[in-house]
Amino acid sequence: MPKGGGAGQVGRRVAKDPFREAMNGGMFRQFFEASRQAMLLVDASGEIQHANARAGMLLGYGPGELRGQPAENVFPGQAVAGHLEAGEHRAGADLYVELVGLRRDHSQFPAGVQVVPVATALGRAAVLSITDLTDQQRANFLLELGLEALGSADRDREALLGHLIRAQEEERDRIAAAIHDDTIQLLTGSNLALQQLRLRLREPEHVVILDRLAETLTASMARLRQLIFDLRPAIVRDGTITAALQDYLEQMRSDTGINYRLEDSRTVVAPARTSMLIYRTAREALLNVRKHAHAKHVQVQLRDVAGGSLVRIVDDGVGYSPADIEERPGHLGLLLMRERARAAGGWCRVESMPGGGTTVEFWVPVDGPLANGDGERDRAA
Amino acid sequence: MVKSVFGPHTPRVLEVLAGVSALSAAQIDLVARAWHQASDLERAEAWARLWRAGPAPEGYWVMGAASAARQAAKDAARKLGRADWAFWAAAWDAAAAVAGDGPADRDYEILTGPLATVMPALKRACIGAQPPGLAGRVPAQRDAELRQAARGGGHA
């Protein structure tokens, strides 16, 4: 017998759920009305039972005008009933969909709709929480336009760099050829003429002056030949990078004491222009080792990989912090290595850390963009 | 959401970026170790095949994703006092594979392997299961690591 109950009083003690009572009472309504989010309360048949003030403002309806209308009127032709049903089946979890909303004046807007199933005194229902996505979509559109413009500018930059790199090689070819065909020939002729003049001189002091002049001419020709080699290494032009790199590494060891190991296991010979690019990129990396690394040893590996040449240059030097180097302007060497590889249709990775040496790895395809037109400007040095 | 900045797989790339930024110091060390242990040659081959497989604009998407992931990884490592470049190299590789248009399974596995040791959702079998960023970490743990790194501790 329940406490306080009299004889004959049969009662059933019903558990009270204060939250449910609050939902069915004033608290839910207060929340619904006060929300800054546009909300519709839709019953199981898809009919709008209540719309808050925000929803009225968003959709262009006055107070009470939405009540009794099917939710389909606000989202015509978009299977709203199906979404409501889907929301119910998600075991209390909400559902988010993007629909096209229709205002009273028949204007449309992109809408993000959250469907939240609720239990009310009248049975199952759903709260549709509606967000106007117009501003967000406009911002996304502008952002995509901006990104597309950036992408386009980047592609133009890349194309320009590729063109500049090719133009640089062509100019080097031209200058090397001009020096060889013109200047060196003149100097050689002058040296011969001096030798002939020497035979006719009688005064010993005149012979001494002439000998000094001949030495100067010989030294000038040697420097010009070195310049031609730097501009257009004959060995690289003929497709063999290894000897050119070996020469460079030997010179580096002689000048700085940096030991090296050079391994070339390639069997595919790259076209001359591609070989030249590989050589110059590797040389740029080795130049950095020479100037900055304070290394004791550098390893250079060349391999055939997936239809291209992979080059790996690893030193045991002081390394650098990417944050200090890459994020400041002016370090063109790293940029040039990457852009050269990309201009040739390949990729380049340069990684380092303080005290941990530096690794440069790049790959260029044998049949990349630079391979086109090979042979057009090949001339004997 | 901007859908195309890294190509058709932008949502996945963005998940990778978010996941990389949320890793702990210990996880960063794990990734770096895994990267060093992997084969350089296999990795270079996978990259070469990935690069050859897609003409522009895919190449831009791949390199853009790789660069963004590398930067995110460098920033995360710097905040936690980690300097092994293998970590951001791993992020570079993984983002490229995710952005690439259907690299072969083996190549995808090679390029994402090191990062997948701490972001298992990167594995191809897990695509769609859960965002890669869920690495089972407690936010408070990362906050503690960041505070320690800021004090100059450097180690988790």
Side-chain angles (χ1 to χ4, degrees):
Chain A
M1 189 72 95
K3 204 171 185 179
Q9 194 173 39
V10 177
R12 195 158 59 90
R13 192 182 173 91
V14 177
K16 287 189 176 179
D17 182 341
F19 186 69
R20 187 185 175 87
E21 290 189 3
M23 286 288 283
N24 288 338
M27 184 182 290
F28 175 74
R29 197 179 191 92
Q30 285 176 30
F31 166 77
F32 190 85
E33 290 295 345
S35 175
R36 293 176 61 82
Q37 191 73 10
M39 287 182 166
L40 302 176
L41 179 66
V42 179
D43 66 20
S45 70
E47 193 173 286
I48 298 173
Q49 290 301 316
H50 197 71
N52 69 357
R54 203 76 177 179
M57 281 170 55
L58 174 65
L59 298 168
Y61 287 89
E65 287 182 337
L66 278 165
R67 187 176 300 148
Q69 289 200 39
E72 196 80 20
N73 283 4
V74 177
F75 303 108
Q78 292 165 84
V80 175
H83 293 308
L84 293 173
E85 204 174 307
E88 273 191 26
H89 289 159
R90 286 166 70 86
D94 60 356
L95 169 72
Y96 177 82
V97 291
E98 290 190 1
L99 303 173
V100 179
L102 182 70
R103 296 191 183 90
R104 188 180 192 176
D105 62 3
H106 300 288
S107 63
Q108 295 179 327
F109 65 97
V113 181
Q114 199 170 1
V115 181
V116 182
V118 293
T120 71
L122 297 174
R124 286 178 307 175
V127 172
L128 304 188
S129 180
I130 306 168
T131 305
D132 185 346
L133 298 178
T134 304
D135 287 345
Q136 183 180 328
Q137 288 198 352
R138 186 179 298 128
N140 278 351
F141 176 68
L142 290 174
L143 183 57
E144 288 205 20
L145 273 184
L147 287 168
E148 180 54 38
L150 274 175
S152 177
D154 190 56
R155 287 189 287 276
D156 288 344
R157 182 192 61 85
E158 196 171 295
L160 178 61
L161 271 167
H163 176 74
L164 284 173
I165 288 168
R166 282 188 289 275
Q168 188 182 44
E169 289 303 320
E170 287 168 11
E171 188 64 11
R172 281 183 166 133
D173 287 352
R174 192 190 64 75
I175 293 172
I179 293 174
H180 180 269
D181 291 348
D182 190 17
T183 312
I184 287 190
Q185 304 303 329
L186 282 175
L187 289 175
T188 305
S190 301
N191 211 3
L192 286 174
L194 281 178
Q195 297 308 314
Q196 287 176 350
L197 178 61
R198 192 181 188 283
L199 295 173
R200 296 177 187 177
L201 291 177
R202 298 286 177 259
E203 298 292 327
E205 60 190 35
H206 292 167
V207 172
V208 168
I209 291 171
L210 196 96
D211 283 345
R212 282 187 194 147
L213 188 56
E215 279 172 20
T216 303
L217 271 178
T218 304
S220 298
M221 285 195 294
R223 286 183 188 182
L224 281 172
R225 288 201 172 94
Q226 181 61 44
L227 178 60
I228 290 173
F229 179 82
D230 286 345
L231 287 171
R232 197 150 188 261
I235 294 172
V236 177
R237 195 198 67 243
D238 295 338
T240 56
I241 304 168
T242 316
L245 285 175
Q246 177 108 34
D247 283 351
Y248 187 85
L249 287 162
E250 272 298 328
Q251 188 66 47
M252 190 168 75
R253 177 161 64 182
S254 170
D255 294 343
T256 66
I258 299 175
N259 288 315
Y260 69 90
R261 184 174 173 181
L262 175 60
E263 298 169 3
D264 184 356
S265 60
R266 296 173 308 146
T267 56
V268 177
V269 176
R273 284 193 176 184
T274 306
S275 295
M276 189 72 72
L277 182 134
I278 292 173
Y279 171 73
R280 295 214 192 278
T281 308
R283 223 183 95 154
E284 181 73 36
L286 291 171
L287 187 63
N288 286 335
V289 172
R290 182 183 175 126
K291 284 166 65 176
H292 305 298
H294 302 285
K296 292 193 174 67
H297 187 268
V298 63
Q299 183 177 22
V300 182
Q301 288 177 311
L302 295 95
R303 287 169 166 159
D304 288 326
V305 167
S309 299
L310 176 74
V311 181
R312 210 154 180 269
I313 298 168
V314 182
D315 71 69
D316 62 357
V318 298
Y320 63 86
S321 163
D324 291 340
I325 299 296
E326 293 173 8
E327 291 164 24
R328 292 182 194 167
H331 294 278
L332 295 179
L334 289 176
L335 180 64
L336 272 177
M337 281 194 284
R338 290 193 180 108
E339 292 303 333
R340 275 207 176 95
R342 288 187 72 172
W347 51 264
C348 176
R349 187 206 301 260
V350 182
E351 296 293 1
S352 183
M353 67 181 180
T358 300
T359 297
V360 174
E361 187 177 60
F362 66 91
W363 175 88
V364 293
V366 170
D367 56 354
L370 283 187
N372 298 328
D374 270 333
E376 287 176 6
R377 289 183 176 271
D378 283 348
R379 296 171 64 180
Chain B
M1 183 175 90
V2 177
K3 291 184 172 58
S4 62
V5 60
F6 298 121
H9 305 294
T10 292
R12 289 267 304 163
V13 173
L14 293 176
E15 287 171 359
V16 172
L17 296 182
V20 158
S21 301
L23 295 178
S24 71
Q27 287 172 319
I28 288 174
D29 291 344
L30 270 174
V31 172
R33 197 151 46 239
W35 194 92
H36 281 302
Q37 287 170 353
S39 161
D40 292 334
L41 182 57
E42 283 187 345
R43 185 164 44 231
E45 286 173 339
W47 250 107
R49 284 190 289 265
L50 176 74
W51 197 243
R52 287 182 87 91
E58 184 185 322
Y60 300 109
W61 297 332
V62 166
M63 205 43 90
S67 297
R70 182 173 178 269
Q71 188 62 48
K74 275 198 306 177
D75 291 342
R78 186 163 49 194
K79 284 181 191 160
L80 292 171
R82 290 296 184 264
D84 191 340
W85 56 259
F87 169 60
W88 50 87
W92 201 64
D93 294 339
V98 169
D101 193 14
D105 284 349
R106 180 72 186 129
D107 290 342
Y108 182 89
E109 191 185 306
I110 288 169
L111 293 173
T112 60
L115 198 57
T117 56
V118 299
M119 290 169 60
L122 269 175
K123 293 177 182 167
R124 251 190 179 155
C126 298
I127 285 174
Q130 65 173 2
L134 289 180
R137 292 191 53 250
V138 176
Q141 178 186 1
R142 178 173 164 77
D143 288 344
E145 287 170 351
L146 284 170
R147 284 196 293 274
Q148 190 167 12
R151 285 196 295 267
H155 292 277

